[in-house]
Amino acid sequence: MQNGFQQKTSVSLGNLYAYAQEISDDHMRDKIVQNLYKKSQQLCESSVIHKNKKNDKRTEKLDAIFTSPIFGFPIMIIMLGIVFYLTIAGANIPSSMLATFFGWLENHLTAFFMYMNSPDWLHGILVLGLYRGTTWVISVMLPPMAIFFPTFALLENYGYLPRVAFNMDRIFKSVGAHGKQSLTMAMGFGCNAAAMLSSRIIESPRERMLAILTNNFVPCNGRWGTLIVLASLFMAAGYTGGLKSLVTTSVIVGIVMVGVIVTFIVSWVLSKTALKGVPTHYTLELPPYRRPKFFDTVIRSSLTKSLSVLSRAIKVAAPAAILTWVIANIYVGDTSILMYIVNFLDPFGKMLGLDGFILMAFLIGLPANEIVLPILLMGYLSTGSLTEVDNLVDLKQIFVEHGWTWLTALNMMLFSLLHFPCGTTLVNIYKETKSKKWTFLAFLIPTVIAITVTFTIAQTVYFLR
Amino acid sequence: MKNSYTVALAGNPNTGKSTLFNALTGLKQHTGNWAGKTVSLAEGKVEHKGKTVRIIDLPGTYSLFSNSTDEEVARNYIVFEKPDVTLVVLDATSLERNFNLALQVLEMTTNVIICINLIDEADKQGISINEKALTRKLGVPVIKISARNKTGFTLLLDTIDRIHTGKIVCTPEIIFYDEEIERKIRQIEPLVREYLEDSISSRWVALRLLDGDDSLFQQMEKRLLVKGG
Amino acid sequence: MDEAKVIKLYDAKIGSFIRITSIDLEGVMRRRLLDLGFVRGAVVEVIRRSPLGDPMAFRVSQTTIALRKEESQRIEGELV
């Protein structure tokens, strides 16, 4: 045997391995780890003194509440509600302040362009296209993100999230998934693309693939703006003040529930079909609760998460906004390119209870969900009479003028919830799965579901009318 | 003497490793690709004694036996990228399991600091840790810190610097196994040493060979091929 | 109570302590359990069940780890 090692290097590594396997035995790993743990124990016994018998009473008491058969689930739902309510109610005022500020600035920009005698198209591209598109994204996205990400980071650092995985596992197991999928879903509320990376916490491949393929059914931050605006305009229209926020919140929770139900159905179907296999390994650590450093957590999560997601959104929003303005303003005959696309998509959109503008917005908005609503508005405005959106009442006016009803709003919300993942998410899915097939399925499955659901609802409503 | 050097952070999940990384590097972080290309690790910098310390945050893992991609990434970095110092972050309130990982790191590489974090939490729970005894037993510096309260950082950074400049020489304690395993190690280690010429701890490689860690050997073959031409 | 009564982790009462005697699992799951401290001879405390009965949380090597029924049924030990 030993002579074998005098050969070429590339051969001898294999020989070494084979030789080692020959002299090794079945449970070598067991023996190695047992030895390591014995050594660990010896180190602890000789150098660590425990003065109290019970170590961490606080964690035990808290677990008795957070994972209690009675309070566990209600607390989880209340927590989810609180996070949403904080995000929605807290974002209202800064959002409208930002919108007012950007509107004021736009007037001055326009005045400046007129003073400089710049051509209309330049003002159109830069101010009506680029400026409006990006400032919309900032004023709608930044406040909720600046509340959501830090709040979630606090819950995460406190140690609550693993308890959610613990409580939810039985349910996820019944559809063949992993309890930790509830955590990647939670991350998805912030950003589906980021959640793709966080799916690494699920070690076993099958459950991880389920988490990746279904994450899109959790509305990310980029879609929250759309959902919140539409919910408050069309679902909570008759209410004012705190009650309005409450109704909006309930509608959003309802939409999220739809997403969760779809997640379970799709997980179940996939685990019985494409991902059929043995249920794989499962372990979950429940770390001690630790009070997070409040300001550190808030500042860091704002700076790293909120700003990076926002800057990505702006990077995508800017070109898409310019593109939309350009195709809305280049005419072939007496119809703009945009209107050709819209007219082409319109019959199909109507079948889904939507319209051509909405489908066009979702298509151009593929790079990032944040820009779907601004593109839609730009589409409407380029043909409508209103030139500026100062507040939500004007916004609703635009929608209503284009024939919107609550059905349009509901189906747009559902389409937004269920449709294909954004470009960044698809790229991340490809990076994580290294498979074109799965990336394509991640695009196809939601798209089919979104079309089926909105089509069914629209046709039912048309029939009942 | 180089003006910059590398420190890798290893540790179990939930040990406050990220808190330490954040506290040390502030907001000067970025996600850098390294040799593996497909894997990106968070990287940050801290200035200490006129030198730039590059800190690499390895994935938090329970072990380094390549049961998962994260474990392979962390293990590959320590063994093949050879950081100047490897810092193992331990949770003071669950040292028993945390030592398991620390002992694995001690088998792999020489310049190691055992960094016992959450020492404030341990104090509260009435746990007292004799770090001097542990230093003697393990042959590498053992330092108590609280990343949350930023205590122990000066000593930690000084110790990193002293290891880098060679003022502290680490001599990790060799972990001895049952006689049966030791006999097998004795059979195979000399062959490994002949083959690897001290670039990687031959005792550790011998153990991994016996354990049948084929992902490590694929990695070694890949890297040797790259080196060879 | 018998002095060396061998039971499955899954069947153990909350609050009981069990010294592991055998782990009837292979592959990655076995290796993962070893890394977490579920080694033969280790003493495990049964902490609690999830609100829906499964998984169960165990305290092993000073940390709390949850395992599903599928796994905890295949780990045996004697009551201590």
Side-chain angles (χ1 to χ4, degrees):
Chain A
M1 198 68 212
Q2 209 162 341
N3 290 335
F5 297 113
Q6 309 304 323
Q7 296 174 2
K8 279 194 315 190
T9 37
S10 59
V11 178
S12 55
L13 191 61
N15 281 3
L16 260 174
Y17 187 66
Y19 177 47
Q21 284 312 290
E22 210 177 281
I23 61 169
S24 185
D25 60 48
D26 277 354
H27 282 152
M28 183 57 87
R29 174 70 64 89
D30 285 41
K31 290 169 193 158
I32 292 174
V33 180
Q34 267 173 39
N35 266 287
L36 287 173
Y37 265 103
K38 209 158 76 192
K39 179 89 185 171
S40 292
Q41 266 171 6
Q42 283 165 4
L43 285 168
C44 286
E45 274 160 24
S46 63
S47 311
V48 182
I49 301 161
H50 290 256
K51 283 176 198 132
N52 308 346
K53 203 140 198 284
K54 269 282 182 196
N55 293 334
D56 194 351
K57 279 216 167 100
R58 196 166 59 97
T59 291
E60 269 179 39
K61 279 182 194 155
L62 285 167
D63 265 344
I65 302 167
F66 287 141
T67 67
S68 126
I70 302 161
F71 303 115
F73 281 92
I75 288 174
M76 253 165 30
I77 291 162
I78 290 167
M79 288 271 197
L80 190 70
I82 289 176
V83 172
F84 286 175
Y85 185 80
L86 275 180
T87 308
I88 295 166
N92 260 340
I93 296 163
S95 266
S96 61
M97 276 167 64
L98 279 171
T100 313
F101 168 74
F102 286 130
W104 171 84
L105 195 62
E106 187 186 312
N107 288 339
H108 286 266
L109 277 174
T110 304
F112 176 74
F113 272 82
M114 278 161 71
Y115 171 76
M116 295 297 284
N117 273 328
S118 66
D120 274 355
W121 64 266
L122 190 65
H123 175 255
I125 287 186
L126 291 182
V127 177
L128 301 182
L130 180 67
Y131 178 83
R132 263 194 204 164
T134 48
T135 56
W136 165 279
V137 169
I138 295 172
S139 54
V140 172
M141 309 314 316
L142 184 59
M145 271 194 305
I147 299 172
F148 176 82
F149 279 123
T151 313
F152 234 99
L154 286 173
L155 282 181
E156 184 182 3
N157 290 2
Y158 184 59
Y160 180 65
L161 296 188
R163 273 68 191 184
V164 175
F166 183 60
N167 290 346
M168 299 289 284
D169 186 64
R170 184 67 191 76
I171 300 171
F172 279 90
K173 192 170 93 174
S174 68
V175 296
H178 196 297
K180 280 184 195 167
Q181 189 170 328
S182 57
L183 304 187
T184 64
M185 285 168 74
M187 192 62 201
F189 284 118
C191 174
N192 296 128
M196 292 305 128
L197 305 177
S198 76
S199 72
R200 283 182 196 167
I201 57 171
I202 302 173
E203 297 96 350
S204 64
R206 188 182 73 137
E207 282 83 349
R208 191 172 158 221
M209 188 64 88
L210 284 177
I212 287 176
L213 292 177
T214 58
N215 191 267
N216 185 53
F217 299 124
V218 172
C220 70
N221 185 66
R223 289 178 278 169
W224 275 45
T226 309
L227 296 177
I228 294 168
V229 166
L230 294 183
S232 65
L233 283 186
F234 286 88
M235 312 287 164
Y239 306 93
T240 49
L243 201 59
K244 191 179 174 75
S245 294
L246 197 67
V247 172
T248 309
T249 308
S250 327
V251 172
I252 301 290
V253 170
I255 287 285
V256 169
M257 285 302 152
V258 173
V260 171
I261 291 165
V262 173
T263 300
F264 281 126
I265 296 173
V266 173
S267 298
W268 184 77
V269 171
L270 283 174
S271 68
K272 295 280 173 222
T273 55
L275 289 167
K276 198 172 173 186
V278 230
T280 26
H281 55 279
Y282 171 94
T283 55
L284 172 73
E285 182 175 0
L286 300 173
Y289 293 97
R290 274 167 192 145
R291 194 172 305 137
K293 278 251 172 192
F294 188 82
F295 285 106
D296 280 9
T297 308
V298 168
I299 288 168
R300 186 165 294 278
S301 61
S302 302
L303 281 175
T304 52
K305 285 253 170 57
S306 307
L307 279 188
S308 74
V309 172
L310 184 74
S311 71
R312 183 182 66 84
I314 292 173
K315 269 182 215 150
V316 194
I322 292 178
L323 175 75
T324 313
W325 190 89
V326 168
I327 62 168
N329 286 278
I330 292 180
Y331 283 76
V332 180
D334 55 358
T335 312
S336 65
I337 297 177
L338 181 115
M339 282 312 292
Y340 275 114
I341 300 173
V342 167
N343 289 337
F344 174 75
L345 293 171
D346 203 55
F348 184 56
K350 287 275 159 42
M351 277 163 62
L352 307 181
L354 306 169
D355 66 23
F357 285 101
I358 299 174
L359 289 187
M360 179 271 310
F362 276 117
L363 285 178
I364 298 183
L366 173 70
N369 286 300
E370 287 85 345
I371 53 176
V372 169
L373 207 50
I375 289 174
L376 178 61
L377 283 175
M378 288 173 67
Y380 282 155
L381 290 178
S382 68
T383 56
S385 53
L386 273 167
T387 50
E388 239 176 69
V389 189
D390 279 339
N391 56 47
L392 289 176
V393 181
D394 289 352
L395 198 62
K396 184 168 184 184
Q397 193 59 36
I398 299 169
F399 289 139
V400 172
E401 273 173 19
H402 283 85
W404 275 50
T405 61
W406 66 269
L407 173 68
T408 325
L410 176 69
N411 272 8
M412 168 131 185
M413 287 166 83
L414 286 172
F415 197 87
S416 173
L417 174 78
L418 302 171
H419 79 299
F420 44 81
C422 75
T424 318
T425 305
L426 286 171
V427 168
N428 282 359
I429 291 175
Y430 182 69
K431 276 189 194 158
E432 292 297 312
T433 62
K434 302 248 173 11
S435 150
K436 287 193 179 109
K437 179 190 137 197
W438 287 112
T439 311
F440 179 67
L441 275 177
F443 175 86
L444 189 70
I445 295 168
T447 309
V448 169
I449 292 174
I451 290 173
T452 314
V453 168
T454 48
F455 178 81
T456 312
I457 292 178
Q459 296 306 318
T460 312
V461 172
Y462 292 154
F463 178 75
L464 291 175
R465 265 185 194 155
Chain B
M1 179 82 32
K2 283 188 296 179
N3 258 332
S4 93
Y5 60 97
T6 318
V7 176
L9 287 188
N12 279 185
N14 309 308
T15 52
K17 190 166 68 70
S18 317
T19 315
L20 175 64
F21 177 67
N22 290 337
L24 283 175
T25 61
L27 295 166
K28 285 172 284 180
Q29 300 174 0
H30 68 278
T31 317
N33 285 314
W34 55 283
K37 290 280 190 298
T38 49
V39 187
S40 51
L41 296 169
E43 193 181 320
K45 280 181 185 142
V46 57
E47 300 290 328
H48 187 70
K49 301 215 162 158
K51 275 169 255 174
T52 307
V53 188
R54 285 176 60 225
I55 301 184
I56 316 287
D57 192 22
L58 301 178
T61 56
Y62 295 118
S63 93
L64 293 167
F65 288 148
S66 64
N67 296 319
S68 70
T69 317
D70 276 355
E71 290 179 18
E72 280 176 30
V73 168
R75 178 256 276 147
N76 287 351
Y77 193 90
I78 296 171
V79 174
F80 298 113
E81 303 295 314
K82 297 188 189 302
D84 294 288
V85 178
T86 303
L87 206 65
V88 192
V89 185
L90 276 60
D91 176 348
T93 65
S94 54
L95 280 178
E96 195 179 309
R97 193 190 68 199
N98 280 255
F99 271 134
N100 176 39
L101 180 82
L103 293 173
Q104 290 180 36
V105 175
L106 289 175
E107 286 186 318
M108 292 160 66
T109 179
T110 313
N111 288 346
V112 178
I113 296 177
I114 306 289
C115 180
I116 301 183
N117 188 24
L118 293 160
I119 204 70
D120 50 329
E121 199 70 37
D123 283 344
K124 262 188 241 162
Q125 293 179 24
I127 301 167
S128 64
I129 298 157
N130 185 345
E131 77 269 33
K132 297 216 169 63
L134 285 171
T135 301
R136 269 196 310 278
K137 285 205 171 74
L138 293 171
V140 299
V142 178
I143 295 168
K144 296 201 277 196
I145 67 156
S146 161
R148 205 184 126 88
N149 303 330
K150 302 192 177 176
T151 55
F153 280 19
T154 318
L155 178 62
L156 179 63
L157 285 167
D158 283 347
T159 311
I160 292 173
D161 185 69
R162 287 158 70 90
I163 289 182
H164 173 63
T165 53
K167 286 187 190 118
I168 295 179
V169 178
C170 295
T171 48
E173 157 89 353
I174 294 167
I175 297 129
F176 288 103
Y177 292 85
D178 293 347
E179 182 43 38
E180 179 202 348
I181 299 179
E182 285 298 330
R183 203 183 59 239
K184 287 171 181 169
I185 293 175
R186 280 196 299 273
Q187 269 174 282
I188 204 156
E189 196 193 343
L191 307 173
V192 176
R193 195 178 298 131
E194 199 177 307
Y195 179 68
L196 288 172
E197 293 166 349
D198 285 346
S199 60
I200 307 172
S201 158
S202 54
R203 185 180 162 87
W204 177 73
V205 173
L207 264 163
R208 305 316 311 135
L209 280 168
L210 289 170
D211 189 29
D213 186 345
D214 49 344
S215 94
L216 174 68
F217 294 98
Q218 283 164 18
Q219 197 61 226
M220 281 170 71
E221 263 182 336
K222 213 165 82 188
R223 285 172 195 261
L224 287 167
L225 278 178
V226 172
K227 241 186 247 170
Chain C
M1 202 183 290
D2 287 339
E3 234 193 311
K5 195 182 160 196
V6 173
I7 57 165
K8 295 178 172 109
L9 277 197
Y10 180 76
D11 298 325
K13 279 206 196 84
I14 304 298
S16 55
F17 289 82
I18 290 161
R19 177 174 286 112
I20 295 178
T21 51
S22 81
I23 300 171
D24 178 26
L25 288 152
E26 290 305 321
V28 180
M29 187 63 203
R30 183 187 187 96
R31 297 200 290 271
R32 168 75 52 211
L33 285 171
L34 292 172
D35 290 339
L36 293 170
F38 288 91
V39 292
R40 228 180 321 148
V43 175
V44 173
E45 184 188 355
V46 186
I47 302 283
R48 67 180 72 252
R49 283 172 191 269
S50 147
L52 300 172
D54 182 47
M56 283 166 87
F58 302 96
R59 189 144 184 93
V60 60
S61 61
Q62 301 172 339
T63 47
T64 307
I65 304 291
L67 299 180
R68 280 179 176 170
K69 184 181 170 183
E70 283 75 3
E71 277 81 40
S72 58
Q73 269 185 331
R74 309 184 76 165
I75 303 172
E76 286 183 339
E78 50 199 29
L79 280 167
V80 284

